[in-house]
Amino acid sequence: MSPTQWDLPVELCCRPMAFVTLTGLDVVYNAVHRAVWDAFCANRRADRVPISFKVLPGDHEYPKCRPKRTSYEWYIPKGILKTGWMNKHLNLVPALVVVFYELDWDEPQWKEKQSECATRVEIVRQSLQGRNTKVAVVLIQKKTPLPPGEDVIASERAAALCNACELSGKSLFVLPHTDHLVGYIIRLENAFYEHAQTYYYTEIRRVKSHKEFLNKTTHQLLFVRHQFKIAFFSELKQDTQNALKNYRTAYNLVHELRAHETNILEIKTMAGFINYKICRLCFQHNTPLDAIAQFRKHIDLCKKKIGSAELSFEHAAWMSKQFQAFGDLFDEAIKLGLTAIQTQNPGFYYQQAAYYAQERKQLAKSLCNHEASIMYPNPDPLETQTGVLDFYGQRSWRQGILSFDLSDPEKEKVGVLAIQLKERNVAHSEIIITLLSNAVAQFKKYKCPRMKSHLMVQMGEEYYYAKDYTKALKLLDYVMCDYRSEGWWTLLTSILTTALKCSYLMAQLKDYITYSLELLGRASTLKDDQKSRIEKNLINVLMNESPDPEPDCDIFAVKTAQKLWADRISLAGSNIFTIGVQDFVPFVQCKAKFHAPSFHVDVPVEFDIYLKADCPHPIRFSKLCVSFNNQEYNQFCVIEEASKANEVLENPTQGKMCLVPGKTRKLLFKFVAKTEDVGKKIEITSVDLALGNETGRCVVLNWQGGGGDAASSQEALQAARSFKRRPKLPDNEVHWDSIIIQASTMIISRVPNISVHLRHEPPALTNEMYCLVVTVQSHEKTQIRDVKLTAGLKPGQDANLTQKTHVTLHGTELCDESYPALLTDIPVGDLHPGEQLEKMLYVRCGTVGSRMFLVYVSYLINITAEEKEIVCKCHKDETVTIETVFPFDVAVKFVSTKFEHLERVYADIPFLLMTDLLSASPWALTVVSSELQLAPSMTTVDQLESQVDNVVLQTGESASECFCLRCPSLGNVEGGVATGHYIISWKRTSAMENIPVIRTVITLPHVIVENIPLHVNADLPSFGRVRESLPVKYHLQNKTDFVQDVEISVEPSDAFMFSGLKQIRLRILPGTEQEMLYNFYPLMAGYQQLPSLNINLLRFPNFTNQLLRRFIPTSIFVKLLGRLRQENCLNPGGGACSEWRLRHCTPAWATEQDSVSK
Amino acid sequence: MAVCIAVIAKENYPLYIRSTPTENELKFHYMVHTSLDVVDEKISAMGKALVDQRELYLGLLYPTEDYKVYGYVTNSKVKFVMVVDSSNTALRDNEIRSMFRKLHNSYTDVMCNPFYNPGDRIQSRWALLPVSDPVQVGPAFCVLLPSFCRTCLAILVAKMQPFGKQGRKGLFKL
């Protein structure tokens, strides 16, 4: 884009740098000179001194210096600042001219060379006539110079050269062309820089010196000019602080000028320039707040200086430019490290610039609406002789005229007309959009999403004005959802209105329909008449006709649009548009609601679709279909009305396909669920509502799920929060807000109509075949088929239970590990109505504890639902918790033959094993038999017959058995000797015959077996009689492998006399037996102590009489001698009656004794 | 006086917007809406601060060429935004503060209205004052709570009498 009138001049915006020209360099043909030049201009980074170099020929003509004025008295300035001035000092008038000359100190033709050099310097001086520009000479030498002072010729010749060229020694330099060129160049540069600074210093002094000649009446403009020049030279001198100070003064001076309509533009232009410089320097000094304050001041001062009303758009343009320039400066500063904040960033300035640009456009539109017949004036008043203005901000047709009166009003008129006509050609929208997009980029950076949206709306509107409808729509569409989601309906409506216009003008069918739908909806704040108009248009579009043009549209654009619409109508093609509504707020609302959260499969699934229209007139839809996750149901939920296109408007309030505004329309749908869907969820995936029909155009509104659009969730929340009472409505009508969307339902199986009973006798006993009687009775009205039973342990319990529980249908045999814990799908056949079925189930529980058992009965039944035959699968389950307990407790103990408790048994000596069976079952138990299985180490003394066969035990009763055993010597066994197993076979008394008997095996405890050296047993009758001989034989058995020395003595007793060895000492050989025969003669009747036998083993001092007492009897019952019983007494029992002998203390004997004594 | 007053719900939709130059309402709507950027930013920056000590007044949100926008946020995150003419130098921070306080009181009164459902857009249906005048903040917000509602409240309070003082207190705390 070429620079316009309002762009700031380049020389103002750049950073001023000292200007130095280099002469005598032949950069085209001389390689050495080329290298020198490259070193000067390459790599100019921030660390190099700020100088701009230029290579010029030695005889270059510099701008002529005007003759110095001796008096300002009669001088009247024609303007503030000449347009060429800044450029002159930046690029034309050098601060220093450097003459390069190739000359070595040992040059043989020194004289000639010296004079040539002097001539060159002279030529340069000639062309700089009257300027203070410095001249310096650089000698390019091939040799490295010697350190100063050593080369005598050099210093001599240098002095001579300076003299010849009229140079001071400081202005003569030597540039050896060696390896360190760049280093030398940098040193040269620094020296040049010093010279340049001196030059600018003198320039400042020179300008300042004019001041005293000025007077305030005629030279006001000069005050500003001089101040500006001083500041500019300070900048060239890189003295930014002073530059800033002087610019500020200049700024104040500008506003002190007398402003008039004729010079206001010049004042504003200059003020803008100086303001720009001040802001720029403030940012450079890192004082952004100063910059902002200055800018605000500037704007406040200049805002009202509009100038000529006919050209007020110029003021707007200028303002816009001011803001834009400041925004650019700000942005540049940020790029250099300044941090901006949300509320203070360049975006605001760009935004403001855009506002002024808009204002400019408005003003231009109202001021430049000339007839087309008005021609651009000829000759062009805006043309000047040189093509440029002499002074900044002046009118081209009256340059340099300072008078406030218009000398030539006719000329003025033509000039204004020319400007106005020119303004007409400006692409305002382009400018506005550029500024806005700059602002958008800034606001995006500083977290202002809403501001960004707002600016995008403005951009969109601007594109609309610029007739770039595609871009406008794109932008508007992009931001619409932001406003929609935040519920700013007024703003949304205004955006939509613009968008609708765009889509109309482009004849974009789908967009047009979408925006119409939303503008008719409840989110729109349009008035009813507007809505009616839009609705009418929409209906027209649906009937494949052109809509009426939108209001406030450009007439030419409307004409084009009408053509486009006509094309659309004639164009055959797809005329069905599907529009998803969840992203906007259409004028039809939809809610779907299943009647219940779940339906049995044998009843039809029912749901309602509620529709409500928000448009001002009734509208008819042509089709409504509902889609489900299972698409097979879709066919049942379609409403369609074959209506002709032109019927859309007829009979509007009749029929169920017609939506009356504000009224809630309820549509009931019903279908029978498939039996496969039992246990599944049926979901409404979408609701499609078709407006219009296929012969015209058709719009399908598509609601995802059970309805609801962009605004409905917030509304639902609000309705839920509300505690307003709603007025009562007639039946069949509901309040829209009270409808809650329910888009899914479960299909559950039919309610079973059978009864399942369980009969059993808890608790179960461990290991028994526990009988569970399942009774299934059908209460159905028809026959049920395929009845299946699943029974057993309920899954999901402890894994150990599964392994220790077994279920079978056959109770006649015991089940083992191979049987499962759960029997599944046992077919039991069909059942007629009322029929009952009984099934026995046997459960064996291996461990105690409670278990949950499940009985699950499933069946099929034919059902008619909605005149449709369906096969339903029903099931009923029953769970029961059964406790398992031990049937009985078994206690085992070892006792001696004298029924004394034994801690240990003695080898080869008989002992008794007593078992005690205590019933713990609440039900009577029958002990079928018991068995003692002895370990090989045990032998029995007599037969091991069961003593408890067929005993019935009630709760708490016990059955005992006693076995006499002997344990042969085994040596010392650690931990005792295994005894064997006790096996009880039992069943419930109530159990049937064919139920198997359960064998419970009880492992008997181990016993500790001990050896004794000598075993004594006595052979004596069970009783004696007074004064009757009582023979007693003691057997002494040596159980050891040694010969035993035994001392035996019998202590006398008062109750007996006895014969036999009273005291003896004898030896018993290993494994042999010694018999000792005594004849006791009882003297007294009763329970008498026998004469005690004392045995002393010499080898085993541990063997005490205490131990001995365990084996031999210590007392005997002595009877009185009766006459009649003599013969009996002579036969005192055999060896087999040892048991009787042991049980000598039973009370029975005593009673008999009493009777006998009588 | 303010040229525009807005009450914004917690979810950032407008509950109430009135502006004096009714012809350019849209501009003020946009201005209020864009100022929410700054409000959001300020609230999130404040989030860490203790709830009790929180300053409800947010101060100047951002200046535009012609208007100044001030913000205020209640504890329930309802925002008040007020647009003031830049040229009106009589309005200092303190005046703005007291205007907001009045606005807050009026809003609380509206909340106490048993017929008002929190979250609904405030329809000044009971407006006793003409809508053109709502911006003179003092009496302006009477728009929101006309005497009709006050009467209703009084009746309710009277009905609560049997419940004793606590009943009354409870109502007023609402």
Side-chain angles (χ1 to χ4, degrees):
Chain A
M1 208 160 64
S2 63
T4 64
Q5 181 192 359
W6 306 109
D7 282 329
L8 295 174
V10 190
E11 52 268 33
L12 184 76
C13 302
C14 68
R15 180 191 172 190
M17 289 195 286
F19 180 50
V20 172
T21 53
L22 311 177
T23 62
L25 283 181
D26 180 6
V27 294
V28 185
Y29 299 110
N30 190 326
V32 174
H33 292 184
R34 177 90 214 163
V36 170
W37 170 239
D38 281 347
F40 271 115
C41 59
N43 272 333
R44 292 215 71 88
R45 282 191 306 251
D47 53 338
R48 301 275 287 265
V49 285
I51 302 179
S52 68
F53 290 104
K54 208 176 211 177
V55 174
L56 290 174
D59 53 354
H60 177 76
E61 288 281 328
Y62 296 99
K64 283 275 182 303
C65 191
R66 257 180 287 126
K68 211 172 170 187
R69 215 179 296 282
T70 47
S71 158
Y72 274 91
E73 224 168 303
W74 299 107
Y75 175 67
I76 291 171
K78 289 179 173 169
I80 299 177
L81 189 66
K82 284 208 172 153
T83 47
W85 188 81
M86 277 189 285
N87 188 41
K88 187 167 90 182
H89 285 277
L90 282 173
N91 298 320
L92 298 177
V93 178
L96 175 72
V97 179
V98 185
V99 178
F100 282 84
Y101 190 68
E102 280 189 57
L103 182 63
D104 277 275
W105 293 130
D106 48 1
E107 174 64 44
Q109 297 170 320
W110 173 258
K111 281 276 174 207
E112 289 79 8
K113 288 275 179 187
Q114 183 183 322
S115 60
E116 191 192 334
C117 180
T119 318
R120 287 194 180 193
V121 172
E122 192 47 40
I123 293 167
V124 168
R125 284 233 173 85
Q126 284 292 329
S127 65
L128 285 171
Q129 196 70 57
R131 297 219 176 260
N132 294 325
T133 305
K134 309 265 172 196
V135 179
V137 172
V138 176
L139 300 179
I140 301 175
Q141 297 188 336
K142 294 191 182 74
K143 287 179 189 150
T144 324
L146 293 166
E150 283 185 24
D151 198 342
V152 188
I153 311 170
S155 48
E156 258 175 32
R157 289 191 167 178
L161 188 65
C162 283
N163 217 3
C165 302
E166 295 169 47
L167 278 175
S168 81
K170 280 181 187 168
S171 305
L172 180 68
F173 303 93
V174 172
L175 176 65
H177 178 62
T178 55
D179 299 340
H180 307 290
L181 186 65
V182 177
Y184 284 116
I185 294 289
I186 287 175
R187 279 169 63 184
L188 267 184
E189 252 177 35
N190 289 334
F192 294 166
Y193 182 55
E194 263 172 47
H195 280 291
Q197 278 189 317
T198 327
Y199 165 75
Y200 289 121
Y201 176 69
T202 50
E203 283 302 291
I204 293 168
R205 290 285 300 277
R206 191 176 58 81
V207 177
K208 272 186 183 167
S209 67
H210 299 323
K211 233 181 195 174
E212 50 200 271
F213 304 111
L214 306 183
N215 66 58
K216 289 228 164 174
T217 48
T218 47
H219 296 143
Q220 263 196 327
L221 299 179
L222 286 183
F223 279 106
V224 179
R225 185 193 293 174
H226 289 166
Q227 206 61 43
F228 183 84
K229 284 184 177 179
I230 291 169
F232 197 79
F233 280 131
S234 300
E235 252 193 303
L236 281 166
K237 202 185 151 210
Q238 308 305 321
D239 182 1
T240 51
Q241 294 294 350
N242 271 324
L244 182 60
K245 211 174 87 193
N246 286 308
Y247 278 130
R248 282 190 194 279
T249 323
Y251 188 80
N252 291 335
L253 288 171
V254 165
H255 283 289
E256 279 172 22
L257 293 178
R258 271 185 65 199
H260 190 263
E261 216 171 271
T262 50
N263 72 344
I264 193 101
L265 183 67
E266 187 176 4
I267 290 175
K268 276 196 303 192
T269 310
M270 265 331 277
F273 285 2
I274 300 168
N275 173 66
Y276 180 83
K277 278 288 185 193
I278 295 174
C279 293
R280 195 187 156 90
L281 287 172
C282 284
F283 277 121
Q284 204 178 318
H285 290 161
N286 208 8
T287 50
L289 292 180
D290 285 356
I292 292 166
Q294 162 64 31
F295 183 71
R296 289 243 65 84
K297 190 175 117 193
H298 172 60
I299 291 300
D300 287 344
L301 282 171
C302 298
K303 202 156 50 173
K304 296 286 181 292
K305 296 188 176 169
I306 296 166
S308 157
E310 290 159 309
L311 296 173
S312 55
F313 53 84
E314 283 195 322
H315 177 68
W318 179 80
M319 286 296 274
S320 170
K321 203 69 216 173
Q322 296 303 304
F323 277 99
Q324 190 191 356
F326 189 75
D328 286 339
L329 274 180
F330 201 165
D331 194 32
E332 205 172 295
I334 288 165
K335 277 180 193 142
L336 291 173
L338 186 74
T339 32
I341 52 167
Q342 192 190 33
T343 51
Q344 191 57 260
N345 67 56
F348 286 103
Y349 299 97
Y350 287 128
Q351 187 193 10
Q352 204 60 39
Y355 282 149
Y356 277 107
Q358 278 164 348
E359 199 180 309
R360 174 187 181 184
K361 188 179 120 185
Q362 300 285 335
L363 290 168
K365 205 174 156 193
S366 62
L367 291 172
C368 312
N369 51 355
H370 302 284
E371 298 285 319
S373 57
I374 293 179
M375 293 303 290
Y376 191 80
N378 196 12
D380 188 353
L382 300 185
E383 280 294 311
T384 53
Q385 285 171 347
T386 51
V388 287
L389 292 169
D390 287 349
F391 288 91
Y392 283 118
Q394 291 191 341
R395 297 290 180 204
S396 48
W397 61 88
R398 47 175 167 82
Q399 288 193 74
I401 300 167
L402 292 181
S403 152
F404 291 158
D405 306 318
L406 296 172
S407 52
D408 191 351
E410 218 24 69
K411 211 172 178 184
E412 183 75 18
K413 236 182 212 168
V414 172
V416 168
L417 177 67
I419 292 175
Q420 286 176 341
L421 289 176
K422 251 196 168 163
E423 181 73 11
R424 222 159 54 170
N425 299 331
V426 174
H428 290 108
S429 292
E430 205 173 301
I431 297 170
I432 298 169
I433 287 164
T434 318
L435 289 170
L436 283 173
S437 65
N438 275 352
V440 165
Q442 293 293 337
F443 283 116
K444 199 170 166 186
K445 205 152 76 181
Y446 295 102
K447 282 194 235 161
C448 300
R450 294 183 187 86
M451 186 64 100
K452 192 185 124 200
S453 307
H454 177 203
L455 293 170
M456 284 171 79
V457 171
Q458 290 185 321
M459 273 169 84
E461 282 170 354
E462 208 50 59
Y463 274 123
Y464 163 72
Y465 293 128
K467 302 201 169 64
D468 191 346
Y469 304 121
T470 326
K471 276 190 182 148
L473 264 191
K474 206 171 160 189
L475 279 167
L476 294 176
D477 211 47
Y478 181 81
V479 292
M480 239 180 250
C481 67
D482 294 342
Y483 290 98
R484 199 181 287 125
S485 65
E486 284 200 324
W488 286 72
W489 301 137
T490 347
L491 303 182
L492 179 66
T493 308
S494 104
I495 298 167
L496 279 170
T497 315
T498 317
L500 186 71
K501 284 180 196 165
C502 291
S503 56
Y504 169 76
L505 294 173
M506 286 196 298
Q508 288 274 15
L509 263 178
K510 191 171 175 179
D511 289 334
Y512 186 82
I513 292 167
T514 315
Y515 300 135
S516 301
L517 288 174
E518 192 158 16
L519 276 172
L520 288 173
R522 61 202 190 284
S524 144
T525 54
L526 285 184
K527 297 259 165 36
D528 266 353
D529 54 335
Q530 290 289 316
K531 285 191 176 182
S532 313
R533 188 182 57 78
I534 292 169
E535 191 179 352
K536 209 180 115 214
N537 279 340
L538 179 65
I539 289 169
N540 277 342
V541 169
L542 289 180
M543 291 194 305
N544 208 2
E545 286 167 24
S546 301
D548 291 341
E550 292 296 312
D552 309 328
C553 280
D554 190 51
I555 303 157
F556 301 107
V558 167
K559 276 190 184 138
T560 340
Q562 275 166 341
K563 259 185 222 139
L564 281 172
W565 279 102
D567 291 349
R568 285 269 184 282
I569 291 162
S570 57
L571 201 72
S574 172
N575 276 331
I576 300 174
F577 306 96
T578 304
I579 298 170
V581 299
Q582 56 282 343
D583 299 329
F584 73 112
V585 189
F587 72 96
V588 185
Q589 298 182 69
C590 165
K591 284 181 182 182
K593 187 185 181 190
F594 278 105
H595 284 189
S598 63
F599 284 94
H600 293 292
V601 71
D602 56 330
V603 293
V605 176
E606 292 183 338
F607 68 95
D608 289 328
I609 296 281
Y610 295 91
L611 291 172
K612 189 181 158 203
D614 303 314
C615 51
H617 301 294
I619 188 145
R620 180 184 290 272
F621 63 92
S622 56
K623 190 176 172 185
L624 176 74
C625 44
V626 185
S627 315
F628 296 88
N629 54 347
N630 185 344
Q631 294 178 353
E632 287 178 52
Y633 301 128
N634 293 2
Q635 51 181 321
F636 303 116
C637 303
V638 176
I639 294 185
E640 201 164 1
E641 205 169 62
S643 64
K644 288 169 203 124
N646 54 8
E647 276 177 7
V648 176
L649 286 174
E650 284 169 21
N651 298 329
T653 49
Q654 286 169 15
K656 64 183 193 174
M657 310 290 279
C658 184
L659 299 174
V660 181
K663 284 253 169 76
T664 305
R665 161 87 60 207
K666 183 165 112 179
L667 300 162
L668 176 74
F669 291 95
K670 230 189 234 189
F671 63 88
V672 179
K674 302 238 177 259
T675 44
E676 302 93 81
D677 276 345
V678 171
K680 287 185 192 156
K681 213 176 197 178
I682 294 189
E683 231 172 310
I684 296 179
T685 51
S686 68
V687 181
D688 291 320
L689 181 78
L691 296 168
N693 52 27
E694 274 108 40
T695 53
R697 288 198 183 94
C698 185
V699 181
V700 180
L701 294 181
N702 171 272
W703 282 272
Q704 290 295 318
D709 47 48
S712 57
S713 61
Q714 172 69 23
E715 283 166 352
L717 188 71
Q718 225 16 66
R721 235 191 258 162
S722 166
F723 41 81
K724 248 179 230 162
R725 264 180 71 184
R726 301 186 177 94
K728 216 168 150 56
L729 283 180
D731 288 346
N732 249 338
E733 278 186 45
V734 278
H735 278 285
W736 182 257
D737 285 342
S738 61
I739 305 162
I740 295 158
I741 294 176
Q742 181 161 15
S744 66
T745 190
M746 283 290 289
I747 298 302
I748 51 176
S749 56
R750 178 178 173 274
V751 182
N753 204 1
I754 56 168
S755 59
V756 176
H757 287 293
L758 296 179
R759 207 170 69 235
H760 58 126
E761 295 176 323
L765 305 176
T766 319
N767 279 335
E768 84 166 319
M769 298 295 280
Y770 185 67
C771 180
L772 208 61
V773 183
V774 181
T775 315
V776 180
Q777 188 172 11
S778 160
H779 304 296
E780 298 281 5
K781 298 219 165 41
T782 54
Q783 189 192 16
I784 59 174
R785 294 179 289 122
D786 213 1
V787 183
K788 279 179 185 164
L789 184 72
T790 297
L793 195 69
K794 192 174 179 178
Q797 298 185 76
D798 192 354
N800 291 339
L801 287 180
T802 321
Q803 287 173 8
K804 290 290 183 189
T805 313
H806 308 285
V807 184
T808 178
L809 288 175
H810 310 289
T812 48
E813 54 195 63
L814 271 180
C815 47
D816 52 25
E817 302 291 313
S818 61
Y819 284 77
L822 180 71
L823 290 175
T824 49
D825 290 340
I826 311 155
V828 277
D830 301 349
L831 275 182
H832 289 289
E835 200 181 348
Q836 187 171 330
L837 181 141
E838 212 174 65
K839 198 85 187 165
M840 305 262 253
L841 210 68
Y842 293 91
V843 181
R844 190 171 180 213
C845 305
T847 51
V848 293
S850 61
R851 290 167 169 77
M852 298 249 283
F853 286 93
L854 169 79
V855 176
Y856 175 98
V857 182
S858 67
Y859 63 91
L860 297 179
I861 186 163
N862 288 9
I863 288 290
T864 315
E866 294 278 300
E867 292 136 21
K868 220 178 132 189
E869 186 91 349
I870 53 168
V871 179
C872 286
K873 194 175 177 185
C874 304
H875 61 84
K876 178 151 186 166
D877 51 7
E878 198 75 22
T879 44
V880 64
T881 305
I882 297 173
E883 197 77 29
T884 306
V885 297
F886 283 121
F888 41 70
D889 294 328
V890 177
V892 176
K893 57 187 177 184
F894 298 99
V895 291
S896 71
T897 45
K898 291 167 76 181
F899 286 92
E900 283 167 342
H901 178 70
L902 281 182
E903 296 259 309
R904 53 196 60 181
V905 299
Y906 296 99
D908 260 347
I909 296 168
F911 61 92
L912 297 178
L913 173 79
M914 288 187 69
T915 61
D916 211 4
L917 204 75
L918 176 70
S919 164
S921 145
W923 309 97
L925 291 182
T926 304
V927 180
V928 178
S929 70
S930 70
E931 189 190 341
L932 188 67
Q933 281 183 344
L934 285 179
S937 56
M938 290 286 169
T939 53
T940 172
V941 176
D942 48 18
Q943 288 95 327
L944 292 175
E945 277 172 18
S946 171
Q947 294 146 3
V948 289
D949 282 359
N950 293 323
V951 170
V952 174
L953 288 178
Q954 301 294 334
T955 313
E957 286 184 338
S958 70
S960 296
E961 277 189 280
C962 189
F963 302 98
C964 187
L965 305 175
R966 189 212 301 270
C967 179
S969 171
L970 285 169
N972 210 357
V973 180
E974 194 64 39
V977 175
T979 318
H981 298 284
Y982 183 50
I983 298 158
I984 305 148
S985 304
W986 58 277
K987 61 195 284 187
R988 278 188 194 227
T989 313
S990 59
M992 278 176 291
E993 278 300 309
N994 54 1
I995 299 292
V997 167
I998 304 118
R999 276 159 59 91
T1000 303
V1001 177
I1002 287 149
T1003 307
L1004 296 172
H1006 287 208
V1007 284
I1008 298 164
V1009 180
E1010 213 166 72
N1011 287 318
I1012 49 168
L1014 186 75
H1015 179 55
V1016 181
N1017 64 341
D1019 203 355
L1020 84 167
S1022 54
F1023 60 90
R1025 285 179 203 274
V1026 179
R1027 287 196 295 282
E1028 202 171 86
S1029 170
L1030 181 73
V1032 174
K1033 197 191 268 175
Y1034 290 106
H1035 302 272
L1036 280 77
Q1037 271 179 298
N1038 183 358
K1039 297 275 187 186
T1040 61
D1041 295 339
F1042 322 102
V1043 178
Q1044 296 261 27
D1045 277 325
V1046 186
E1047 269 182 5
I1048 303 165
S1049 63
V1050 178
E1051 276 180 24
S1053 166
D1054 289 345
F1056 293 93
M1057 290 197 294
F1058 70 93
S1059 69
L1061 299 164
K1062 186 166 184 248
Q1063 187 164 20
I1064 187 170
R1065 185 173 174 159
L1066 51 89
R1067 286 188 173 166
I1068 308 171
L1069 291 175
T1072 59
E1073 192 179 84
Q1074 188 70 46
E1075 283 181 12
M1076 303 276 293
L1077 190 66
Y1078 290 90
N1079 223 345
F1080 291 150
Y1081 190 75
L1083 296 176
M1084 283 180 272
Y1087 204 59
Q1088 297 298 350
Q1089 189 122 44
L1090 283 169
S1092 62
L1093 182 75
N1094 291 333
I1095 297 170
N1096 195 9
L1097 293 183
L1098 295 174
R1099 272 176 176 269
F1100 296 93
N1102 290 350
F1103 188 83
T1104 57
N1105 285 324
Q1106 214 69 36
L1107 194 61
L1108 196 65
R1109 299 264 180 279
R1110 292 212 160 172
F1111 311 128
I1112 53 174
T1114 52
S1115 40
I1116 192 165
F1117 191 77
V1118 180
K1119 288 183 180 177
L1120 284 172
L1121 184 69
R1123 263 163 278 149
L1124 296 172
R1125 297 269 192 96
Q1126 235 164 354
E1127 62 276 22
N1128 289 350
C1129 304
L1130 292 172
N1131 185 16
C1137 58
S1138 62
E1139 225 178 273
W1140 292 112
R1141 204 165 66 219
L1142 290 163
R1143 292 184 177 176
H1144 55 85
C1145 55
T1146 51
W1149 288 104
T1151 46
E1152 197 185 55
Q1153 174 64 38
D1154 284 349
S1155 65
V1156 170
S1157 59
K1158 276 171 196 169
Chain B
M1 292 289 119
V3 284
C4 176
I5 289 178
V7 180
I8 315 290
K10 185 173 170 256
E11 295 85 0
N12 283 341
Y13 63 88
L15 290 175
Y16 178 91
I17 295 196
R18 283 291 179 278
S19 51
T20 11
T22 37
E23 69 277 5
N24 207 350
E25 233 178 355
L26 214 56
K27 183 172 94 182
F28 290 106
H29 276 65
Y30 275 120
M31 205 180 283
V32 170
H33 184 244
T34 48
S35 73
L36 290 179
D37 283 335
V38 188
V39 174
D40 274 2
E41 194 68 17
K42 287 204 176 194
I43 289 175
S44 68
M46 216 161 47
K48 306 278 188 295
L50 283 175
V51 180
D52 321 340
Q53 292 164 5
R54 209 167 60 190
E55 170 73 273
L56 301 176
Y57 177 57
L58 297 177
L60 182 66
L61 297 181
Y62 69 85
T64 62
E65 238 359 59
D66 311 311
Y67 300 103
K68 283 178 181 163
V69 186
Y70 293 90
Y72 185 92
V73 62
T74 70
N75 285 319
S76 53
K77 298 269 190 298
V78 171
K79 294 121 193 159
F80 301 145
V81 175
M82 194 145 52
V83 183
V84 175
D85 205 319
S86 278
S87 58
N88 193 341
T89 45
L91 288 172
R92 304 243 192 83
D93 224 33
N94 266 340
E95 280 82 28
I96 301 284
R97 246 174 232 267
S98 74
M99 276 157 83
F100 270 128
R101 220 164 291 132
K102 277 182 202 161
L103 189 62
H104 197 170
N105 286 341
S106 305
Y107 177 72
T108 321
D109 286 349
V110 172
M111 281 291 128
C112 292
N113 176 358
F115 299 103
Y116 175 70
N117 186 22
D120 277 352
R121 293 179 199 230
I122 300 171
Q123 314 279 348
S124 46
R125 198 159 38 121
W126 323 291
L128 295 183
L129 287 169
V131 185
S132 60
D133 198 32
V135 200
Q136 295 212 342
V137 157
F141 244 59
C142 281
V143 167
L144 302 179
L145 191 83
S147 60
F148 165 66
C149 289
R150 288 184 198 274
T151 325
C152 291
L153 213 71
I155 295 167
L156 270 179
V157 173
K159 281 192 175 172
M160 293 291 272
Q161 287 290 9
F163 301 106
K165 275 190 176 171
Q166 280 189 338
R168 287 182 74 172
K169 251 189 196 167
L171 191 76
F172 279 123
K173 271 191 176 173
L174 205 80

